[in-house]
């Protein structure tokens, strides 16, 4: 398996994976607008020349957010999502101190994966998801939890 940067030719595969994975998937326009942003990155997992998963994330100053991650249904539970997240976190760590994501409270498999990688539940967003309506856990990954946070300005 190879994790690589998104290429324009990956769009059809990414859209299909999103449609198979989410009740309200991102549109082509949403992906294109996010990818065009200088603060966002999209990486894909490729297996034997086929795009089988993706991770989309954004970094702003010293915080990052996993916006979307998905793997083709028939390729799940083979370590692809783990590899995508590890690659994203390795990249994010260069500039951010913390990474957030939201996950459906019913998505036990994803919550387990995120917890295994070091994310922890830090909040709840009521009615965050639609179709079906559901709450989301906010999960947080701290790159160096013992490191003292820098203060950017004097607030006194």
């Amino acid at each position: 398996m190879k994790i690589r940067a998104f290429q324009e030719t990956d769009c059809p595969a990414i859209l299909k994976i999103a449609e198979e994975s989410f009740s309200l998937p991102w549109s082509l326009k949403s992906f294109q607008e996010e990818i065009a942003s200088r603060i966002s990155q999209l990486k894909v997992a490729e297996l034997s020349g086929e795009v089988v998963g993706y991770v989309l994330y954004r970094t702003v100053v010293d915080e990052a957010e996993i916006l979307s991650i998905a793997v083709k249904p028939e390729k799940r539970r083979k370590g692809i999502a783990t590899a995508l997240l590890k690659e994203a976190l390795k990249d994010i760590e260069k500039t951010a101190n913390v990474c957030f994501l939201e996950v459906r409270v019913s998505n036990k498999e994803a919550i387990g994966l995120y917890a295994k990688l070091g994310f922890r539940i830090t909040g709840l967003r009521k009615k965050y998801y639609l179709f079906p309506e559901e709450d989301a856990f906010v999960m947080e990954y701290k790159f160096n939890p013992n490191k003292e946070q820098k203060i950017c300005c004097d607030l006194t």
Side-chain angles (χ1 to χ4, degrees):
M1 180 179 51
K2 175 181 172 184
I3 308 285
R4 62 168 174 78
F6 161 83
Q7 299 169 357
E8 201 65 36
T9 55
D10 299 328
C11 278
I14 289 169
L15 287 172
K16 185 167 178 15
I17 293 167
E19 288 170 6
E20 294 173 338
S21 301
F22 303 110
S23 60
L24 193 60
W26 282 41
S27 67
L28 175 60
K29 182 179 180 189
S30 295
F31 274 112
Q32 289 173 327
E33 288 175 354
E34 195 62 46
I35 295 163
S37 168
R38 290 182 28 222
I39 60 174
S40 296
Q41 295 288 320
L42 177 58
K43 304 239 182 201
V44 299
E46 191 178 75
L47 195 57
S48 303
E50 175 190 17
V51 173
V52 294
Y54 70 87
V55 61
L56 176 64
Y57 54 96
R58 174 191 306 154
T59 305
V60 179
V61 188
D62 63 348
E63 291 186 2
E65 181 178 10
I66 304 293
L67 300 171
S68 185
I69 181 168
V71 173
K72 287 182 81 162
E74 66 272 18
K75 301 293 184 182
R76 292 181 185 156
R77 304 201 56 78
K78 298 180 186 314
I80 296 168
T82 299
L84 283 163
L85 272 172
K86 284 182 175 179
E87 184 69 23
L89 291 171
K90 187 172 84 175
D91 188 42
I92 291 167
E93 185 176 22
K94 296 173 189 170
T95 55
N97 296 321
V98 65
C99 180
F100 297 95
L101 60 78
E102 287 90 14
V103 59
R104 284 183 181 271
V105 296
S106 65
N107 193 342
K108 304 300 183 208
E109 284 190 22
I111 293 165
L113 168 64
Y114 303 145
K116 181 179 81 174
L117 291 174
F119 282 86
R120 62 185 185 87
I121 296 170
T122 57
L124 181 72
R125 296 195 198 285
K126 291 284 194 185
K127 300 180 183 179
Y128 183 80
Y129 289 103
L130 302 173
F131 309 114
E133 186 176 278
E134 188 173 354
D135 298 344
F137 285 130
V138 176
M139 297 187 77
E140 173 187 78
Y141 180 96
K142 288 189 177 180
F143 289 97
N144 190 348
N146 299 322
K147 182 180 173 186
E148 195 172 308
Q149 296 294 320
K150 296 177 194 171
I151 297 176
C152 66
C153 52
D154 184 3
L155 300 176
T156 58

